[in-house]
């Protein structure tokens, strides 16, 4: 069976999208999960974009040895240099250089002639190839480029040492036929007939996966994609959809990948926990409803034989129907088994904290579901070192008076003076009181609450984003009491901020906040 490489760009093209920024630590967590998932290439970032991006590519390169680690660079000296330095610790480093080739990009974005573009390709692809063996060249906006010029550029890139040529449908404009036509044209050029090809499809018209699969059929060696399809605008081709198409319709495609499909659900969930952005419920493969059968007639069919309405099993993507129910009397072993069955391996030091949280919750709630455990896990996954911790709070709220809140916090285990404040509502009063108690003048810019499960004893999961000095920081809290969940989320965001800028409030110049 032919093999197609999976090039994952969740940490570069995906992370670039608004609301999806991740810290270095979070990116490393995702990279480890992607390595276990079995992707061939992890595009870890764009080192020239920010010191934080440089740092994440460097750390991922030093820690991920099972797959190729790629760094993106424009065709200029400083980008190529930074990318080379960032991947220097990787077992299998790749530099991914790109330049736009469409007339519209040349005229309005690059202000370059075609000859000048060709000159840059020759110079900087050669520069990258002199430093790193594996060099990918992308012709940005390839699908809207003059086909003859695209071939000329690819020829120049190949001659200068590119080891793989990528065809991006940057604006998601192509049809599957367009993609196939371009691939056939490239393959027909004698000097390019042996070079590995790749595609990178965006989803502006909802065609990213269809276009990627057409490219696979036309013989490309690599597809670029992201987990849950996250990415610029309407996103990139979704990794899980491409992989499951190749799997479920293997007789049609005859192409395999190295992905362990049973890890798909855990990786998708990890990404949503880290970014706080949920997957749309009806999304193929990873949406909450992807394997749910609601209509009676469907349920009846599935009960008789699952294949009536299921073309793949939930288990094949790692969605296990878990029959172990946890409660107050469950021990640490049962708890650990449960986490493992959900696809999460928690390091022992975090497991202690998580088990404590679980015990506290099981005192308040009779039956602990997988969703409750996921909600607790999120704290562990975000792994924000605790500087401030909630000691106690009092909230008064009514429909006749302003709300008030007094809160007392522990700072590195020591009690701090109580902060008291009023607010239009109890949450505002609580957040104002925390600002007073910490002496930090943060502003709330996003607040989301949801019930983790149904039922009167459901936990409330609160996600917040706070802003200070033009940088934003996320925080998360969960508790059956929604006021307490909100207070914990705000404190978590403050801790996140202090950890990123330094507990003394001085920026260490790292990443862009998350
Ligand atoms: O969409 C695009 O063209 C890209 C390139 C940098 C590959 O992301
Ligand atoms: Zn892209």
């Amino acid at each position: 069976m032919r093999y197609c490489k999976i090039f994952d760009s969740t940490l570069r093209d995906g992370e670039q999208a608004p609301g999806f920024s991740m810290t270095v630590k979070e990116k490393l967590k995702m990279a480890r999960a992607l390595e276990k998932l079995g992707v061939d290439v992890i595009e870890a970032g764009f080192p020239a974009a920010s010191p934080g991006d440089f740092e994440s590519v460097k750390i991922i390169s030093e820690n991920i040895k099972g797959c190729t680690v790629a760094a993106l660079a424009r065709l200029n000296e400083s980008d190529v240099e930074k990318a080379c330095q960032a991947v220097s610790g990787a077992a299998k480093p790749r530099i991914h250089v790109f330049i736009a080739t469409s007339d519209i990009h040349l005229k309005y974005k690059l202000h370059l002639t075609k000859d000048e573009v060709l000159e840059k390709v020759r110079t900087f692809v050669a520069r990258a190839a002199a430093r790193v063996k594996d060099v990918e060249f992308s012709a940005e906006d390839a699908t809207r480029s003059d086909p003859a010029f695209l071939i000329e550029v690819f020829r120049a890139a190949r001659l200068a040492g590119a080891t793989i040529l990528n065809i991006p449908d940057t604006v998601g404009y192509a049809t599957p036929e367009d993609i196939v036509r371009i691939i056939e044209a490239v393959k027909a050029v004698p000097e390019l007939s042996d070079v590995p090809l790749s595609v990178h499809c965006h989803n502006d018209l909802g065609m990213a996966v269809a276009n990627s699969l057409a490219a696979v059929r036309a013989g490309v060696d690599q597809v670029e994609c992201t987990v849950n399809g996250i990415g610029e605008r309407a996103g990139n081709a979704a990794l899980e959809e491409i992989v499951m198409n190749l799997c479920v319709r293997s007789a049609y495609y005859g192409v395999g990948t190295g992905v362990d499909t049973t890890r798909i659900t855990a990786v998708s969930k990890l990404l949503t926990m880290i970014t706080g952005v949920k997957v749309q419920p009806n999304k193929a493969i990873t949406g909450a409803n992807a394997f749910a059968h609601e209509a009676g007639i469907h349920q009846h069919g599935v009960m008789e034989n699952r294949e009536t309405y299921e073309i793949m099993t939930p288990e094949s993507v790692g969605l296990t129907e878990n029959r172990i129910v946890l409660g107050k009397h469950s021990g640490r072993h049962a708890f650990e088994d449960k986490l493992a069955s959900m696809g999460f391996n928690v390091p022992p030091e975090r497991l202690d904290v998580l088990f404590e949280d679980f015990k506290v919750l099981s005192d308040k709630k009779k039956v602990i579901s997988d969703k409750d455990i996921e909600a607790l896990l999120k704290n562990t996954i975000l792994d924000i070192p605790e500087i401030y911790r909630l000691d106690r709070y009092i909230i008064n709220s009514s429909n006749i008076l302003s709300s008030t809140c007094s809160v007392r916090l522990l700072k590195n285990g020591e009690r701090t003076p109580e902060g008291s404040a009023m607010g239009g509502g109890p949450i505002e009063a609580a957040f104002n009181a925390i600002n007073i108690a910490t002496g930090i003048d943060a502003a709330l810019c996003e607040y989301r609450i949801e019930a983790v499960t149904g039922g009167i004893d459901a936990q409330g999961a609160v996600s917040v984003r706070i802003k200070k000095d033009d940088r934003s920081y996320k925080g998360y809290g969960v508790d059956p009491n929604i006021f307490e969940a909100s207070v914990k989320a705000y404190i978590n965001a403050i801790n996140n901020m202090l950890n990123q800028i330094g507990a003394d409030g001085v920026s260490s110049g790292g990443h862009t906040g998350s």
Side-chain angles (χ1 to χ4, degrees), residues 210-252:
N211 285 338
S212 305
L213 291 168
V216 172
R217 287 262 294 162
V220 296
D221 308 84
Q222 171 182 287
V223 272
E224 304 196 354
C225 46
T226 59
V227 174
N228 295 337
I230 69 168
E232 290 275 5
R233 306 179 309 277
N236 289 53
L239 178 150
E240 62 281 1
E241 295 178 23
I242 293 175
V243 169
M244 288 315 289
N245 267 280
L246 295 180
C247 209
V248 173
R249 301 301 307 271
S250 71
Y252 176 73

Side-chain angles (χ1 to χ4, degrees), residues 361-428:
L361 179 64
S362 60
D363 269 338
K364 300 179 186 172
K365 206 168 179 281
K366 264 204 197 111
V367 176
I368 314 284
S369 71
D370 285 11
K371 286 204 169 122
D372 286 317
I373 293 174
E374 265 169 37
L376 294 180
L377 251 175
K378 191 164 165 182
N379 273 327
T380 305
I381 279 161
L382 294 180
D383 194 13
I384 297 167
E386 216 171 45
I387 294 170
Y388 284 102
R389 185 189 182 94
L390 175 66
D391 185 14
R392 64 176 199 194
Y393 70 92
I394 302 166
I395 289 179
N396 285 307
S397 183
S398 74
N399 64 351
I400 46 172
L401 291 172
S402 295
S403 299
T404 59
C405 176
S406 288
V407 64
R408 193 169 72 196
L409 307 176
L410 304 175
K411 184 176 186 186
N412 299 318
E414 302 284 319
R415 262 189 204 156
T416 60
E418 204 144 55
S420 301
M422 296 203 305
I427 305 290
E428 188 189 344

Side-chain angles (χ1 to χ4, degrees), residues 12-13 200 202 236:
R12 200 278 297 169
D13 221 345
H200 173 109
H202 279 267
N236 289 53

Side-chain angles (χ1 to χ4, degrees), residues 141-147 150-151 154 167-187 197-199 201-202 205 207 210-216 218 220:
D141 208 13
T143 53
R144 293 194 302 164
S145 299
D146 164 13
L150 180 66
I151 298 289
F154 274 162
I167 303 161
D169 183 26
T170 304
V171 290
Y173 178 75
T175 64
E177 289 74 18
D178 294 335
I179 297 277
V180 171
R181 203 175 311 119
I182 295 171
I183 293 165
E184 283 173 351
V186 177
K187 279 180 175 289
L197 295 183
S198 164
V199 285
C201 299
H202 279 267
L205 290 170
M207 296 296 286
N211 285 338
S212 305
L213 291 168
V216 172
V220 296

Side-chain angles (χ1 to χ4, degrees), residues 61-76:
S61 298
E62 286 161 1
N63 285 279
I64 301 296
K65 301 298 172 193
C67 28
T68 296
V69 178
L72 186 70
R74 287 164 296 195
L75 288 180
N76 65 56

